Amino acid sequence: QVQFVESGGGLVQPGGSLRLSCTVSVSSFRLYRMGWYRQGIGEQRELVADISPGGITNYADSVKGRFTISREINKKTVYLQMNGLKPEDTAVYYCNALQASGSPVFGSWGQGTLVTVSS
């Protein structure tokens, strides 16, 4: 069963930065399109960034220009560098592999990592 372990969240002031990491226990990690999702309180989970096996990236409009997704194949890890954080970025962040539709591949999720942006 695939496992996701997210880390790197915390409390940060508006305008600050954080770098999230997600390590994935799947043998074919390099073949998957990977994504970062987030879920705020009372909100649905949304996809904020994804990266293809070839390194092509996509971002939600709300984070474009501020967030950067990357991956290390040999470490089976995907990162999310978040700069210029805003209070509306406050959420629990998760990673998963995703299908072409943007829906997650795997039904299981990690514990997520909480990002709180507040002064």
Side-chain angles (χ1 to χ4, degrees), residues 32-97:
Y32 286 104
R33 186 178 199 91
M34 293 299 302
W36 279 98
Y37 297 77
R38 69 185 181 187
Q39 186 168 20
I41 296 175
E43 299 178 0
Q44 290 193 339
R45 191 171 293 169
E46 63 170 344
L47 177 67
V48 296
D50 64 85
I51 183 167
S52 73
I56 296 173
T57 58
N58 291 292
Y59 300 92
D61 287 344
S62 58
V63 307
K64 200 171 294 183
R66 300 187 297 121
F67 290 11
T68 302
I69 188 172
S70 60
R71 64 196 294 170
E72 281 192 82
I73 301 297
N74 60 336
K75 293 185 177 181
K76 297 184 180 181
T77 299
V78 59
Y79 303 98
L80 188 67
Q81 177 67 43
M82 306 187 296
N83 299 326
L85 282 161
K86 304 175 181 180
E88 51 263 44
D89 295 319
T90 295
V92 180
Y93 285 71
Y94 305 86
C95 73
N96 206 318

Side-chain angles (χ1 to χ4, degrees), residues 33 98-103:
R33 186 178 199 91
L98 66 156
Q99 305 175 52
S101 64
S103 299

